[in-house]
Amino acid sequence: MGKETILPHHSKGDGTKVKQGLLIGELGKQVNLPTQTIRYYERLGLLDPPERTESQYRIYSADALERLRFIQKAKLFGLSLDEIKQLIEMRAGGIPPCASLQTMVKKHLDELDCHIQEMLAFRHELANRYEQISAFVSDSPATTTEASFNGRICGLIEREKEDAS
């Protein structure tokens, strides 16, 4: 067997077999992703299996580069890898995925709004607890503070109501 060379965009005239494309490390550098991530996306079906050289190196096409850039941009919309895969599969099946994208993004916005409300409520509770702690700690000298809270570890926590979670 002849020597095998991988070249991005040109061929040789010396009888050397040439596969066009990028090795996984070169692809990773172009999209700033570790090679493990690229292999993971391949296992999930987000990337088509690449061609292989005679020595079994992966050779990625321009389509793979474009797909990885699409995945990175889709993540900016808050999409999970499963959701991105759904969009890719829809397009591959001839269905325009943009209406589904709108639904997915709306769902993420609604979830985010809910989390923000939960975080604001938690912040309010935590601020109240901080004020209570500050009132107890600043009113007592350091040596008597721990004794006056009667706790096995920290009485300020232990005196919290059981149903507070």
Side-chain angles (χ1 to χ4, degrees):
M1 281 191 206
K3 175 173 84 172
E4 184 176 46
T5 305
I6 298 125
L7 298 173
H9 299 292
H10 56 281
S11 61
K12 291 179 140 185
D14 65 359
T16 302
K17 291 184 180 183
V18 176
K19 296 253 185 181
Q20 289 192 352
L22 297 169
L23 293 172
I24 193 167
E26 297 166 331
L27 179 65
K29 285 178 186 166
Q30 288 207 21
V31 291
N32 198 27
L33 285 174
T35 57
Q36 300 92 321
T37 301
I38 296 170
R39 287 187 196 101
Y40 179 64
Y41 289 172
E42 197 179 314
R43 281 193 309 272
L44 291 179
L46 290 164
L47 280 178
D48 293 330
E51 288 189 41
R52 299 258 182 177
T53 66
E54 288 177 13
S55 35
Q56 296 305 305
Y57 288 107
R58 291 171 166 90
I59 299 294
Y60 292 92
S61 67
D63 289 342
L65 181 61
E66 184 180 320
R67 175 70 57 87
L68 287 172
R69 288 184 174 143
F70 174 82
I71 292 167
Q72 289 176 315
K73 290 175 184 179
K75 290 171 83 177
L76 296 174
F77 287 78
L79 301 180
S80 69
L81 294 177
D82 276 343
E83 290 169 324
I84 295 168
K85 186 176 180 182
Q86 287 174 32
L87 297 178
I88 291 168
E89 289 172 346
M90 290 176 80
R91 175 54 74 190
I95 301 167
C98 291
S100 293
L101 171 65
Q102 180 184 22
T103 302
M104 291 172 183
V105 171
K106 175 65 171 137
K107 178 183 165 221
H108 288 295
L109 275 174
D110 292 344
E111 290 171 353
L112 186 57
D113 287 340
C114 183
H115 288 306
I116 289 170
Q117 291 306 310
E118 290 170 357
M119 293 298 292
L120 287 171
F122 178 66
R123 193 212 181 282
H124 180 72
E125 291 172 19
L126 194 56
N128 287 339
R129 287 188 174 101
Y130 179 78
E131 288 175 22
Q132 292 171 359
I133 293 166
S134 293
F136 282 115
V137 172
S138 63
D139 290 346
S140 306
T143 55
T144 60
T145 300
E146 289 301 319
S148 63
F149 300 136
N150 295 327
R152 293 192 69 165
I153 298 172
C154 178
L156 292 172
I157 293 173
E158 293 163 5
R159 67 188 193 94
E160 186 68 27
K161 294 177 186 158
E162 290 294 325
D163 61 299
S165 60

